[in-house]
């Protein structure tokens, strides 16, 4: 079937946040678009919102007045569902309610031609369930846009049990023609993004719950070392804890309470207290007038070591060697297992265990674990976790070393896998399970996480850079520390670690 031609009419049902945005995207691509909403005046309001957004773009010089007028000329509101009969593709974006969605699609089947493609923008309802009461469930697929639809590139094309592959392919090709980055996914709870993103919030909440570091420090480390655009707590505050917690709970229940997705008591407390985030003026942070923004824990200046001994290859942290030399510190290389000796300090990239357990097991003196960075050269902050046996001189020497490389240093408590490492390994673990369970391809899960939630790298590609045996070791370290099934390693990581460690080129 291929891409729908721009002469094909697109209908959008529901003119709220998502529907209005989707209608704008389709009209921008050149289609005639019909916008319908059941609430009186809602379609006009949706259209007015689109016009307002376009006016701003014209003011900022991002769009010509001619383009604006052309786009709005293709967008028309209709007052009855019957009026969408000419549409070749109908995208439903009404309230998140299975019964109402089934009713709408049931009516559409009697209104539209048999070969009309039906799509739902649902973010959490099974496409199989929506299709189950239809006469032609093979014509239905998910077309899941992200908010704001005109800006976010990702579209998850969701196939239910009955969805015709040609229908999914047409939606995919059409989304690509609209300038989006589509991915294919089977209809499983959370699809790709809302499933694979869970550990981004969950691991930060675990570190907080265990007193590993405070909210502002965790956010700072995730951004400044991990390269994520927002910290997990800032992002939860923005999404709203009621919404974020509801997604977590629904995914947890949908996977039959798999401990991988276990919700957080800390977040539940916030919801109970009405601290829903920015929208209520308070979440993890206080957004009230005059409220002081919490600042991350940052170590006082310490002196740089004159010399560092690098024992063995540092793997994903190897770039540190060049940075140390550039900082004018003498580097001596010796055989070993990937350790940095700086005076009394022995530094090692976290391997998923408590640094305390590692120091005890290997008889290491002055052990200080450091966290994963997306790019050690660009990172502006690094987290350090001293083992309980490590004395203050070794901690100061470690701080001095990273400060000499131009980094701020956050000392955190000795939590297994620290902050960035455990987060990235658990994101990759969930991504690998989605691939292993035939939900999506390895390429698509990486596209989805980069285009749907702005991750700086796809989790599988990131895991390849860390090294799959190392990722497997971090997860084993987490299992050893917690004894929880939550951290079990995906069979696909186990398998790929034995065979070159590549998910995709
Ligand atoms: P919204 O509340 O802003 O808009 C929903 C609109 O649907 C309202 O204008 C309402 O009057 C209309 N409506 C309700 N029942 C209707 C019916 N039977 N027929 C026609 N119109 C009807 O909701 P929003 O946020 O736009 O969400 C819509 C859908 O998109 C939901 O399924 C949601 O899960 C999904 N979604 C939402 C995202 C978001 O960030 N808000 C992101 C991705 C998907």
């Amino acid at each position: 079937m291929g891409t729908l031609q721009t002469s094909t009419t697109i209908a959008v049902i529901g003119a709220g946040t998502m529907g209005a945005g989707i209608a704008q995207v389709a009209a921008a691509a050149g289609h005639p678009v019909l916008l319908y909403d059941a609430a009186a005046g809602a379609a006009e309001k949706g259209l007015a919102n689109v016009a307002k957004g376009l006016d701003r773009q014209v003011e900022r010089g991002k769009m010509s007045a001619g383009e604006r007028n052309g786009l709005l000329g293709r967008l028309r509101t209709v007052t009855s569902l019957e009026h969408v009969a000419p549409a070749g593709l109908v995208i439903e974006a009404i309230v998140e309610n299975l019964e109402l969605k089934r009713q709408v699609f049931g009516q559409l089947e009697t209104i539209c031609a048999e070969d009309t493609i039906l799509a739902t923008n649902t973010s959490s309802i099974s496409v199989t369930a929506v299709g189950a009461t239809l006469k032609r469930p093979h014509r239905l697929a998910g077309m899941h846009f992200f908010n704001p639809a005109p800006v976010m590139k990702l579209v998850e094309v969701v196939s239910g049990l009955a969805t015709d592959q040609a229908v999914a392919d047409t939606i995919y090709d059409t989304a690509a023609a609209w300038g989006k980055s589509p991915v294919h996914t089977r209809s499983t709870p959370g699809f790709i993004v809302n499933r694979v993103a869970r550990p981004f919030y969950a691991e930060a909440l675990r570190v907080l719950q265990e007193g590993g570091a405070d909210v502002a420090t965790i956010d700072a480390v995730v951004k400044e070392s991990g390269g994520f655009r927002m910290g997990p707590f800032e992002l939860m505050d923005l999404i709203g804890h009621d919404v974020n917690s509801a997604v977590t709970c629904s995914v947890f229940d949908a996977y039959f309470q798999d401990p991988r997705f276990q919700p957080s008591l800390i977040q539940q407390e916030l919801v109970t207290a009405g601290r829903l985030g920015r929208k209520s003026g308070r979440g993890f942070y206080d957004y009230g007038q005059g409220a002081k923004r919490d600042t991350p824990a940052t170590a006082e200046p310490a002196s740089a070591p004159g010399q560092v001994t690098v024992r063995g290859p540092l793997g994903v942290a190897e770039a540190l060697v060049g940075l140390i030399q550039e900082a004018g510190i003498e580097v001596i290389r010796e055989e070993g297992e990937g350790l940095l000796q700086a005076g009394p300090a022995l530094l090692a990239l976290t391997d998923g265990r408590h640094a305390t357990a590692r120091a005890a097991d290997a008889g290491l003196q002055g052990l200080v674990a450091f966290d994963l960075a997306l790019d050690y050269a660009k990172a502006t902050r690094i987290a350090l976790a001293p083992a309980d046996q490590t004395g203050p001189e070794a901690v100061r020497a470690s701080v001095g070393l990273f400060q000499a490389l131009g980094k701020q240093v956050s000392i955190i408590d000795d939590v297994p896998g620290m902050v960035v490492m455990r987060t990235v390994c658990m994101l990759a673990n969930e991504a690998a399970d989605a691939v292993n369970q035939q939900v999506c391809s390895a390429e698509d899960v990486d596209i989805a996480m980069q285009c749907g939630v702005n991750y700086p790298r796809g989790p599988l590609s990131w895991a390849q850079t860390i090294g799959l045996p190392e990722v497997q070791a971090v997860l084993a370290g987490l299992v050893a520390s917690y004894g929880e099934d939550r951290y079990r390693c995906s069979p696909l990581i186990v398998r790929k670690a034995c065979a070159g460690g590549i998910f995709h080129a």
Side-chain angles (χ1 to χ4, degrees):
M1 246 183 307
T3 313
L4 293 177
Q5 296 191 328
T6 52
S7 55
T8 306
T9 297
I10 309 293
V12 179
I13 314 300
T17 309
M18 294 307 293
I22 294 166
Q24 178 183 328
V25 171
H31 293 268
V33 178
L34 305 173
L35 185 58
Y36 170 75
D37 198 290
E44 287 69 24
K45 198 171 144 214
L47 183 58
N49 285 339
V50 171
K52 222 190 302 168
L54 296 179
D55 287 346
R56 265 199 303 270
Q57 289 198 43
V58 173
E59 276 163 31
R60 289 191 201 139
K62 289 191 173 160
M63 181 182 261
S64 71
E67 281 175 280
R68 170 201 178 274
N69 296 340
L71 194 161
L72 289 176
R74 289 187 289 275
L75 224 175
R76 198 155 64 80
T77 61
V78 293
T79 51
S80 154
L81 201 56
E82 315 283 328
H83 296 154
V84 308
L89 166 64
V90 184
I91 305 169
E92 166 275 314
I94 70 164
V95 284
E96 191 73 337
N97 177 303
L98 174 61
E99 279 321 307
L100 291 177
K101 286 184 194 288
R102 281 176 164 172
Q103 272 174 31
V104 165
F105 283 114
Q107 284 172 276
L108 286 170
E109 279 194 317
T110 66
I111 294 166
C112 297
E114 286 200 1
D115 64 351
T116 297
I117 294 180
L118 304 177
T120 172
N121 183 52
T122 181
S123 49
S124 65
I125 297 175
S126 154
V127 172
T128 302
V130 177
T133 52
L134 297 185
K135 286 202 284 287
R136 296 186 292 277
H138 58 281
R139 303 296 303 168
L140 174 81
M143 189 174 192
H144 184 208
F145 288 82
F146 287 71
N147 190 15
V151 177
M152 298 303 288
K153 288 272 177 211
L154 183 66
V155 174
E156 290 180 329
V157 179
V158 188
S159 288
L161 204 53
T163 304
D164 197 340
Q165 186 60 44
V167 167
D169 288 343
T170 300
I171 292 180
Y172 180 101
D173 292 344
T174 302
W178 292 358
K180 297 298 179 189
S181 302
V183 294
H184 281 292
T185 167
R186 272 200 308 123
S187 182
T188 48
F191 310 139
I192 301 175
V193 169
N194 279 336
R195 166 192 187 161
V196 176
R198 294 335 309 150
F200 184 71
Y201 315 107
E203 293 311 311
L205 287 160
R206 284 291 287 255
V207 172
L208 180 69
Q209 185 175 35
E210 292 169 23
D214 59 40
V215 163
T217 303
I218 295 170
D219 272 352
V221 169
V222 168
K223 285 187 291 183
E224 296 174 42
S225 202
F228 288 87
R229 213 178 279 184
M230 287 184 83
F233 299 110
E234 291 173 333
L235 185 53
M236 284 183 269
D237 271 4
L238 179 68
I239 294 168
H241 292 286
D242 48 346
V243 174
N244 187 258
S245 167
V247 175
T248 302
C249 291
S250 97
V251 170
F252 177 58
D253 285 333
Y255 283 102
F256 308 111
Q257 312 211 330
D258 185 334
R260 272 279 180 75
F261 305 107
Q262 193 180 61
S264 161
L265 282 175
I266 292 193
Q267 190 170 41
Q268 183 177 275
E269 277 285 283
L270 289 184
V271 175
T272 306
R275 294 189 187 180
L276 302 182
R278 283 198 199 189
K279 62 185 172 190
S280 73
R282 184 151 189 193
F284 281 113
Y285 296 99
D286 188 349
Y287 300 91
Q289 261 204 336
K292 273 230 316 259
R293 180 75 187 203
D294 302 332
T295 52
T298 303
E300 295 294 322
S303 29
Q307 187 189 71
V308 169
T309 305
V310 179
R311 296 200 199 143
L314 300 182
V316 71
E318 188 62 31
L320 284 174
V321 180
L323 296 174
I324 294 169
Q325 283 167 328
E326 279 168 35
I329 299 170
E330 186 192 354
V331 170
I332 298 166
R333 291 214 79 138
E334 284 179 4
E335 299 279 289
E337 298 168 52
L339 296 165
L340 288 164
Q341 177 91 51
L346 204 51
L347 287 126
L349 177 64
T350 176
D351 68 354
R353 287 180 287 172
H354 287 106
T356 304
R358 189 170 175 182
D361 287 352
L364 301 173
Q365 302 284 322
L367 183 65
V368 176
F370 63 88
D371 205 352
L372 178 69
L374 173 66
D375 177 341
Y376 283 97
K378 289 195 185 134
T380 52
R381 178 178 298 273
I382 191 89
L384 300 180
D388 290 354
Q389 304 91 327
T390 297
E393 303 78 23
V395 176
R396 268 198 299 278
S398 309
V399 170
L401 172 61
F402 279 99
Q403 286 176 340
L405 310 186
K407 322 280 180 215
Q408 307 253 44
V409 176
S410 289
I411 305 284
I412 67 168
D413 197 22
D414 182 18
V415 283
M418 301 188 68
V419 176
V420 181
M421 182 64 98
R422 70 192 274 166
T423 301
V424 171
C425 288
M426 283 297 279
L427 290 170
N429 206 23
E430 204 48 55
D433 260 1
V435 175
N436 198 45
Q437 292 160 12
Q438 315 292 302
V439 172
C440 58
S441 70
E443 288 82 358
D444 277 359
V445 73
D446 275 357
I447 291 170
M449 303 318 286
Q450 286 176 280
C451 300
V453 270
N454 291 321
Y455 287 0
R457 266 194 98 152
L460 294 180
S461 137
W462 203 339
Q464 283 169 201
T465 305
I466 298 167
L468 296 195
E470 286 73 16
V471 170
Q472 194 182 347
V474 167
L475 294 167
L478 289 164
V479 169
S481 305
Y482 290 111
E484 286 177 51
D485 195 37
R486 171 191 184 88
Y487 295 105
R488 70 184 184 274
C489 188
S490 166
L492 192 61
I493 291 182
V494 176
R495 180 172 158 196
K496 295 277 184 189
C498 303
I502 298 294
F503 286 107
H504 61 81

